[in-house]
Amino acid sequence: GAEIGCQGKGVGPTAEAAMFVACARKLRVLNQVRAAGVGLPLTSAQYDRLSPQVLVDRLVQRRMHHLAIKVCDYLELSKHRVLAHWACLRLKSPGAKKLTDAELEKLIVDKVRKHVSPGEAPMRFHPIAQAALFEAHRSGLATKLADYEASEADKARAPWTSTLHKPWVMSTK
């Protein structure tokens, strides 16, 4: 009898502790996004309806990548979409024109390595390579970024493969 009572008590506080931690995390995130520099005055109910991922997406759309990454870290969400969005914007930024392909590659890869831990799923570089090719017009950089794809299938889907076989271009043979 006494043994069963102890086991029952062990379950209750653990569940309460998990709820307390989840509530504390939500409050910390809400306080961060309510800050003057961010200006998203969400209530707890709005946050619950929105979902943490949608909140992160809204921060990304506001170009608040640093805060979006912090929220992802704190809530243990994937940072891949945030990093991909940041990298694509960086490729199109006026400052990117002053950098070489090697410098941009290092900047992007270092940022990804800093924020994606080895235990996480690998970052997809295909969308970034596409932006390098089609939006920044840097084919060399696109090739280098595509080499960072984890799977061979993704490497084979390099961003320029769709441009190699244009059906509307007549062959000269």
Side-chain angles (χ1 to χ4, degrees), residues 2-149:
E3 202 173 298
I4 294 173
C6 288
Q7 289 176 348
K9 285 184 180 181
V11 172
T14 303
E16 287 176 12
M19 284 177 33
F20 177 78
V21 169
C23 184
R25 286 181 185 224
K26 178 176 21 173
L27 286 173
R28 289 187 92 184
V29 169
L30 286 172
N31 284 336
Q32 285 292 313
V33 300
R34 289 174 181 162
V38 181
L40 286 173
L42 290 176
T43 66
S44 179
Q46 289 170 326
Y47 173 86
D48 291 338
R49 277 192 304 265
L50 209 61
S51 85
Q53 187 59 57
V54 172
L55 175 61
V56 168
D57 291 344
R58 287 192 179 180
L59 292 171
V60 166
Q61 290 305 314
R62 289 173 169 228
R63 298 182 181 193
M64 296 179 168
H65 299 98
H66 181 71
L67 180 56
I69 287 171
K70 284 175 55 177
V71 169
C72 286
D73 279 339
Y74 196 65
L75 298 177
E76 299 174 350
L77 301 172
S78 171
K79 298 172 281 282
H80 293 185
R81 286 170 37 178
V82 177
L83 291 166
H85 189 270
W86 169 83
C88 291
L89 281 180
R90 187 67 177 103
L91 288 168
K92 296 184 283 186
S93 71
K97 292 179 180 141
K98 299 173 188 167
L99 300 174
T100 65
D101 286 357
E103 291 169 329
L104 266 175
E105 175 191 5
K106 181 176 177 4
L107 182 74
I108 291 168
V109 171
D110 286 353
K111 181 106 169 178
V112 169
R113 286 186 177 148
K114 177 182 174 185
H115 292 290
V116 178
S117 63
E120 288 182 63
M123 175 81 179
R124 295 214 44 247
F125 278 85
H126 184 76
I128 305 167
Q130 281 186 312
L133 180 64
F134 296 119
E135 296 174 33
H137 308 291
R138 291 180 165 218
S139 59
L141 178 59
T143 303
K144 289 177 182 180
L145 291 172
D147 287 341
Y148 287 97
E149 281 292 349

